[in-house]
Amino acid sequence: MRRILVTNDDGIYAEGLRCLAESLEELGEVWIVAPDREQSASSHAITLHRPLRVTEVDERTFAVDGTPADCVNIAVNGLLKFRPDLVASGINRGGNLGDDVTYSGTVSAAMEATLLGIPAFSISLAGRENLNYTPAGQFARRLAEIVFRHGMPSEGVFLNVNVPPVSSVSEIKGVAFTVQGRRKYGEAIVEKVDPRGRKYYWIGGDELGFEYIENSDIVMVLRRYISVTPLHLDLTHRESLRILEDWKNELEKF
Amino acid sequence: MRRILVTNDDGIYAEGLRCLAESLEELGEVWIVAPDREQSASSHAITLHRPLRVTEVDERTFAVDGTPADCVNIAVNGLLKFRPDLVASGINRGGNLGDDVTYSGTVSAAMEATLLGIPAFSISLAGRENLNYTPAGQFARRLAEIVFRHGMPSEGVFLNVNVPPVSSVSEIKGVAFTVQGRRKYGEAIVEKVDPRGRKYYWIGGDELGFEYIENSDIVMVLRRYISVTPLHLDLTHRESLRILEDWKNELEKF
């Protein structure tokens, strides 16, 4: 019997989480360990400075007062009495495309699973309103089946999936294996004064647009493909290593 | 006149921050925008769900009740009335080596600067006790000089620096341009019962060791080299794209 850990960053009561869990039930025993409230933009944060509380919602569902990465960490390292065969994170309300992945709580849960050596994917529905999670749920089930069959494509790699917002599967053009795209960020900070006359700042984060990168997740989702981006945790930019060699002499005189 | 933004994740009163700011003062006007308290393992989190408060400590020093990435974001997008020429984050108390970079608040500040198109480096002192920040500060000044001269090695790249814990510069063997190493994580969760009989969990995170990767940051710092790792924000694992093509037919039937 396969056992699947499901988590998210929209919180344990989110519709997308429920849809993902239900979709995967045909494939094995689904366990849910998810944040007790929304954790968007919590990134790969791990809570080290305070204890974490766990509430048992039902026999196989637990709410944690922490981030998605916390949920995976304590599920795998203590809370569950077994090692899950797969970690699935989502279905996020809103896309996790391009550079978003460095901020995303949804993606970070899959990162944490990867660090712990467990196959994982994150899945997001790239829309904002009137969302129909069913097509994404159906795709998640298919992807999980294939991951069980083939394993991850490489060691230390997980899959970040984004599904275009459609009302039925038939509107989806296909599946595209993509590279991480790049957003152009706007200067979205709001400076205001509170009722007691003190200034405050609020980070907006509305993007201005994106760089056109052929075969990027952003571009392919706009074309109504499901994007599947293989991600890893090695951020090294190897081409820069050659350039840096020219700095060596200067740099060593300090 | 060059203007440098300095931040960190140990908080505005940390010794490492003060050392970094002082070291860079010879090169230009130093502005500090840093968290008002320790933010370790805050990762690349951005605070979207609440406003941020800023306290002016002095004319060019501001404390923010947010993460390091928040500090860079509001500094660049609203608080400072100019665009800094460089963002320097640190000097962190403790290394940010290997996969640590995905959790690190110190590194996330440099990531945020990179997303905003500003040259950046993070710098950490890879020790825990009796730390002498001076050698790292001297290196930071040299590195900043060279970044002003050459720019970043590639677009979208920043530098993650780790300095071995030494009492004087003469103990340092040299500077190494490194790749991101890989830790092996232990199963470090503490399960306990609080004074009122409720269970709680505390994430440990003690590493067991590391994979031996020649020329990795972990290995070179252990050999008493300063490691300089060029990092970027594109997590795509391109080799996996070829393997995934074999999944295409199966995956499209859902």
Side-chain angles (χ1 to χ4, degrees):
Chain A
M1 167 62 107
R2 291 216 155 97
R3 284 174 294 199
I4 304 167
L5 171 61
V6 170
T7 190
N8 75 343
D9 81 337
D10 290 328
I12 196 132
Y13 300 110
E15 192 185 341
L17 178 81
R18 211 163 47 230
C19 175
L20 180 59
E22 283 168 11
S23 302
L24 297 176
E25 258 162 20
E26 281 176 30
L27 303 181
E29 197 174 82
V30 171
W31 292 70
I32 297 173
V33 182
D36 59 1
R37 68 198 75 179
E38 197 189 311
Q39 294 280 331
S40 290
S42 67
S43 185
H44 197 186
I46 284 275
T47 303
L48 302 177
H49 61 282
R50 63 168 175 85
L52 292 165
R53 296 290 184 175
V54 177
T55 308
E56 189 174 332
V57 178
D58 69 36
E59 203 195 347
R60 295 207 292 267
T61 306
F62 300 86
V64 177
D65 64 341
T67 67
D70 289 338
C71 290
V72 173
N73 191 298
I74 69 166
V76 173
N77 286 335
L79 187 61
L80 304 181
K81 304 302 175 207
F82 57 86
R83 196 171 163 81
D85 299 296
L86 173 70
V87 173
S89 175
I91 301 167
N92 194 60
R93 186 168 56 80
N96 279 301
L97 295 155
D99 319 289
D100 291 356
V101 303
T102 68
Y103 293 106
S104 164
T106 308
V107 174
S108 76
M111 280 186 186
E112 185 66 18
T114 305
L115 282 174
L116 296 167
I118 299 170
F121 64 80
S122 46
I123 181 163
S124 306
L125 185 49
R128 279 288 161 202
E129 279 167 4
N130 303 318
L131 293 180
N132 174 15
Y133 288 95
T134 311
Q138 285 176 242
F139 183 74
R141 179 169 48 224
R142 188 75 184 134
L143 181 61
E145 267 177 351
I146 292 170
V147 168
F148 285 142
R149 199 173 303 154
H150 297 300
M152 288 280 115
S154 313
E155 203 217 313
V157 168
F158 65 96
L159 302 173
N160 181 42
V161 177
N162 282 274
V163 178
V166 292
S167 44
S168 86
V169 169
S170 62
E171 294 170 44
I172 292 173
K173 295 264 183 65
V175 178
F177 302 111
T178 47
V179 301
Q180 180 188 321
R182 269 175 120 168
R183 290 198 182 284
K184 290 178 186 160
Y185 285 89
E187 301 188 3
I189 273 272
V190 175
E191 182 183 320
K192 284 206 172 142
V193 175
D194 76 11
R196 269 157 297 280
R198 292 171 60 211
K199 261 203 287 196
Y200 65 86
Y201 296 83
W202 209 307
I203 293 179
D206 279 351
E207 64 272 16
L208 282 178
F210 56 90
E211 290 179 29
Y212 188 88
I213 299 172
E214 186 61 35
N215 203 34
S216 71
D217 49 5
I218 299 175
V219 166
M220 294 310 285
V221 167
L222 278 173
R223 292 187 186 150
R224 275 201 271 135
Y225 284 81
I226 293 176
S227 71
V228 177
T229 313
L231 300 180
H232 65 158
L233 296 171
D234 183 356
L235 310 187
T236 312
H237 188 254
R238 281 158 211 276
E239 296 96 282
S240 287
L241 286 170
R242 288 193 297 272
I243 296 160
L244 286 171
E245 285 301 329
D246 294 337
W247 297 17
K248 198 167 177 73
N249 287 335
E250 288 172 87
L251 207 47
E252 287 196 333
K253 290 180 213 115
F254 68 94
Chain B
M1 167 62 106
R2 293 220 155 96
R3 284 174 295 201
I4 304 167
L5 171 61
V6 171
T7 191
N8 75 343
D9 80 338
D10 291 328
I12 196 131
Y13 299 111
E15 192 184 341
L17 179 81
R18 211 163 48 231
C19 174
L20 180 59
E22 283 169 10
S23 301
L24 296 176
E25 256 161 21
E26 281 177 30
L27 304 180
E29 197 174 84
V30 171
W31 292 70
I32 297 172
V33 182
D36 59 2
R37 68 197 76 176
E38 195 190 314
Q39 293 280 330
S40 290
S42 67
S43 183
H44 196 186
I46 284 273
T47 304
L48 301 176
H49 61 281
R50 63 170 176 86
L52 293 165
R53 297 290 183 176
V54 177
T55 308
E56 189 173 332
V57 177
D58 69 37
E59 203 195 348
R60 294 207 293 267
T61 306
F62 300 87
V64 177
D65 64 342
T67 67
D70 290 337
C71 290
V72 172
N73 191 299
I74 70 167
V76 172
N77 285 335
L79 186 62
L80 304 182
K81 305 303 176 205
F82 56 87
R83 196 173 164 80
D85 300 295
L86 174 71
V87 173
S89 176
I91 302 167
N92 193 61
R93 185 168 55 80
N96 279 300
L97 294 155
D99 319 289
D100 291 356
V101 303
T102 69
Y103 293 104
S104 163
T106 308
V107 173
S108 77
M111 281 187 186
E112 185 66 19
T114 305
L115 282 174
L116 296 166
I118 300 171
F121 65 81
S122 46
I123 182 163
S124 306
L125 184 48
R128 279 286 160 203
E129 278 167 6
N130 303 317
L131 294 179
N132 174 15
Y133 288 94
T134 311
Q138 284 175 245
F139 183 75
R141 179 169 50 225
R142 189 74 186 135
L143 180 61
E145 267 177 350
I146 292 170
V147 167
F148 285 143
R149 199 174 303 154
H150 298 300
M152 287 281 113
S154 313
E155 203 217 314
V157 168
F158 65 96
L159 302 173
N160 181 42
V161 177
N162 282 274
V163 178
V166 291
S167 44
S168 87
V169 169
S170 62
E171 294 169 44
I172 291 173
K173 295 263 182 67
V175 177
F177 302 112
T178 47
V179 301
Q180 179 187 320
R182 269 176 120 167
R183 289 200 185 284
K184 290 179 187 159
Y185 285 89
E187 302 187 3
I189 275 270
V190 175
E191 183 183 320
K192 285 208 171 141
V193 175
D194 76 11
R196 269 157 299 279
R198 292 171 59 211
K199 261 202 288 197
Y200 64 86
Y201 296 84
W202 210 307
I203 293 178
D206 279 349
E207 64 273 14
L208 282 178
F210 56 90
E211 291 178 27
Y212 188 88
I213 299 172
E214 186 62 35
N215 203 35
S216 71
D217 49 5
I218 300 176
V219 166
M220 294 311 285
V221 167
L222 278 174
R223 292 189 188 148
R224 274 202 271 136
Y225 283 81
I226 293 176
S227 71
V228 177
T229 313
L231 299 180
H232 65 158
L233 296 171
D234 182 356
L235 310 188
T236 312
H237 188 254
R238 281 158 211 276
E239 297 97 280
S240 288
L241 287 169
R242 287 193 298 274
I243 296 160
L244 286 171
E245 284 302 329
D246 294 338
W247 297 17
K248 199 168 176 74
N249 287 334
E250 289 172 85
L251 207 49
E252 286 195 333
K253 290 180 215 115
F254 69 93

